[in-house]
Amino acid sequence: MLLSSPEINVKLNKLIDWKLNNQSIEKDFSKKDFKSALAFVNKVGEAAENMDHHPDIFIHSWNKIKFTISTHKEGGLTDKDFILAEKIEHLFK
């Protein structure tokens, strides 16, 4: 079920540095090197696969990763998107 704008704002305020971009949320992360960036992406990939909810992932500048999350089949943001964002935050630590 799609979230309303007020619901999105409440959930977004609980996340650090995630930004709303049209019908998705996104954040850039940096790791110390390429190897650790790939390891992070693989951990997120496993969590996403377990949820059957997959983010768009962009690896750039050898150590930077951008995640963009939305529920494509719903056409916007749902609770699943924010749950995945929280999992990504936890895996980054």
Side-chain angles (χ1 to χ4, degrees):
M1 186 161 133
L2 285 176
L3 297 172
S4 67
S5 290
E7 291 171 318
I8 290 169
N9 289 331
V10 167
K11 290 181 179 295
L12 198 56
N13 285 332
K14 293 179 182 177
L15 296 171
I16 298 169
D17 296 328
W18 284 82
K19 295 187 178 13
L20 183 63
N21 185 2
N22 294 318
Q23 298 296 317
S24 37
I25 55 173
E26 60 188 25
K27 182 175 177 178
D28 289 293
F29 293 84
S30 294
K31 292 302 244 177
K32 66 179 181 170
D33 55 33
F34 184 71
K35 184 176 180 180
S36 59
L38 284 178
F40 176 48
V41 166
N42 285 328
K43 287 179 186 176
V44 170
E46 187 174 325
E49 190 65 22
N50 289 337
M51 288 181 67
D52 193 27
H53 191 57
H54 307 98
D56 292 335
I57 302 170
F58 177 54
I59 301 172
H60 58 101
S61 300
W62 64 268
N63 71 331
K64 294 181 181 19
I65 310 103
K66 180 178 188 172
F67 293 99
T68 304
I69 308 172
S70 69
T71 304
H72 300 289
K73 67 181 177 183
E74 295 287 333
L77 290 164
T78 66
D79 283 326
K80 284 181 90 170
D81 302 308
F82 289 92
I83 292 167
L84 181 56
E86 289 170 2
K87 287 183 184 216
I88 292 170
E89 287 293 332
H90 177 74
L91 292 168
F92 184 69
K93 294 179 183 179

